[in-house]
Amino acid sequence: MAISLSLEDNVVVERQKQTIKPPPMYQVVLLNDDFTPMGFVVMILQKYFRKDQKASIEIMLKVHCEGRAICGVYTRDVAMTKVKQVTTHAKQAGHPLQCVMERT
């Protein structure tokens, strides 16, 4: 809804209602491979996604059985940071674990 105000010098000022949209969200997904140890995946889930042991094991088994699993949903910058942390840690440990982000 726009409100028009007329001032003495014939200037019209309009006030428009601003709508703020929530930021787009991104899923962080772990992908299965045949080489990364299951225990390493559980550790990654606990360390970077703050999952408890039960949730970490469930997610790890989903990755193993279904080929992929969502670890969390975050804003773009947080999701990018998580992907970078996981891939860097896996690479340093000599594992080919892949972590990607997908817009929800």
Side-chain angles (χ1 to χ4, degrees), residues 48-62:
Y48 296 109
F49 299 97
R50 298 185 179 194
K51 303 293 183 186
D52 62 25
Q53 186 163 2
K54 182 180 179 196
S56 297
I57 291 170
E58 289 174 0
I59 294 169
M60 176 272 299
L61 288 172
K62 186 169 183 170

Side-chain angles (χ1 to χ4, degrees), residues 33-84:
D33 63 72
D34 294 331
F35 304 101
T36 304
M38 293 179 179
F40 183 80
V41 175
V42 169
M43 182 274 300
I44 288 290
L45 290 162
Q46 291 174 335
K47 182 172 183 170
Y48 296 109
F49 299 97
R50 298 185 179 194
K51 303 293 183 186
D52 62 25
Q53 186 163 2
K54 182 180 179 196
S56 297
I57 291 170
E58 289 174 0
I59 294 169
M60 176 272 299
L61 288 172
K62 186 169 183 170
V63 171
H64 181 71
C65 295
E66 297 178 20
R68 59 188 280 128
I70 298 169
C71 303
V73 179
Y74 308 95
T75 59
R76 183 177 178 268
D77 291 343
V78 173
M80 286 175 64
T81 300
K82 300 271 186 198
V83 169
K84 178 85 171 161

